[in-house]
Amino acid sequence: DGGITQSPKYLFRKEGQNVTLSCEQNLNHDAMYWYRQDPGQGLRLIYYSQIVNDFQKGDIAEGYSVSREKKESFPLTVTSAQKNPTAFYLCASSLPEGGRGYNEQFFGPGTRLTVL
Amino acid sequence: GQQLNQSPQSMFIQEGEDVSMNCTSSSIFNTWLWYKQDPGEGPVLLIALYKAGELTSNGRLTAQFGITRKDSFLNISASIPSDVGIYFCAGHPQGAQKLVFGQGTRLTINP
């Protein structure tokens, strides 16, 4: 079945450690996104990528980094520079910009990161 | 940045009741989307709207793209327990690349 997978579902890390969250999709979508969700809040865009080997900062990129070496993969690294990393992280993908379906983003199941 | 005002923030209803929620913006949007999120899961796309005045249904759910292009509405008829969750509106502002999300409406249903 086509879809987006994120792993792991729950992640615990010590303060000061970098951690990488995985996101894989087999929908053949060109565009991929990372969002952060805090309790009782909406979604805030961290980074997005419209094509392989290219990505742009979202609204809250500080303390995060990404790579897009393959179309189906868009890993997110939460660095030690991120002051408050504990949150629920969501990955999404969509069709290329310009098409009607571009705005229809499809989400993975999320990774809950807790920094101790 | 651009914000969407989604209301109400929470709703407590009886099973079988109809539900209405809305999303408004101070600027024009080209697209409106409605998502549902279950606890600990990713949002699931319910309905996408692309034209002002468009009215689209998905089972017991009906959503409308406001005529002014600055608002959207979601209605759920005859609510059932599995409708519980958080409903998010999202929109694509005119001239902008990124989707903007509302803060969500938390729906609780008493059986």
Side-chain angles (χ1 to χ4, degrees):
Chain A
D1 285 357
I4 302 174
T5 57
Q6 292 185 242
S7 61
K9 182 70 174 172
Y10 299 95
L11 192 53
F12 297 87
R13 279 294 180 269
K14 291 184 179 179
E15 195 172 342
Q17 289 182 334
N18 291 354
V19 60
T20 297
L21 282 60
S22 166
C23 178
E24 304 277 331
Q25 54 96 3
N26 60 5
L27 299 168
N28 201 32
H29 285 169
D30 285 290
M32 296 186 74
Y33 313 81
W34 274 106
Y35 291 90
R36 171 183 172 135
Q37 186 177 32
D38 294 288
Q41 301 292 316
L43 280 65
R44 293 186 290 169
L45 183 63
I46 304 172
Y47 267 99
Y48 64 105
S49 167
Q50 295 179 359
I51 196 168
V52 174
N53 293 322
D54 188 42
F55 48 82
Q56 288 78 41
K57 293 182 178 180
D59 299 318
I60 56 165
E62 186 176 348
Y64 300 98
S65 66
V66 293
S67 63
R68 187 83 187 279
E69 296 176 3
K70 297 186 296 183
K71 183 176 182 176
E72 57 272 19
S73 178
F74 191 39
L76 173 74
T77 297
V78 184
T79 75
S80 56
Q82 167 51 231
K83 291 186 174 28
N84 185 18
T86 295
F88 190 50
Y89 290 88
L90 288 159
C91 178
S93 71
S94 72
L95 291 171
E97 186 177 4
R100 178 183 170 105
Y102 172 68
N103 296 314
E104 296 178 19
Q105 293 185 16
F106 296 89
F107 286 84
T111 292
R112 184 167 300 280
L113 172 65
T114 303
V115 175
L116 306 171
Chain B
Q2 177 76 48
Q3 287 192 333
L4 290 177
N5 296 313
Q6 188 171 348
S7 67
Q9 288 188 345
S10 59
M11 303 182 74
F12 298 85
I13 64 169
Q14 298 294 321
E15 183 177 351
E17 287 184 14
D18 296 343
V19 172
S20 290
M21 59 191 78
N22 69 81
C23 216
T24 60
S25 169
S26 57
S27 58
I28 289 174
F29 276 55
N30 289 337
T31 307
W32 286 98
L33 306 173
W34 285 93
Y35 288 87
K36 177 179 183 255
Q37 185 178 29
D38 290 328
E41 299 296 329
V44 174
L45 181 63
L46 300 173
I47 294 177
L49 302 160
Y50 284 91
K51 203 160 65 166
E54 182 180 352
L55 186 72
T56 298
S57 293
N58 179 5
R60 292 177 297 104
L61 278 62
T62 302
Q64 185 163 24
F65 193 137
I67 290 292
T68 65
R69 298 174 66 189
K70 294 182 178 181
D71 57 7
S72 180
F73 304 86
L74 176 69
N75 295 319
I76 305 173
S77 63
S79 59
I80 59 177
S82 62
D83 291 334
V84 165
I86 302 177
Y87 292 81
F88 288 100
C89 63
H92 191 212
Q94 190 177 46
Q97 281 189 311
K98 299 172 288 187
L99 268 183
V100 177
F101 285 82
Q103 297 299 304
T105 294
R106 182 180 295 273
L107 179 61
T108 302
I109 298 176
N110 299 317

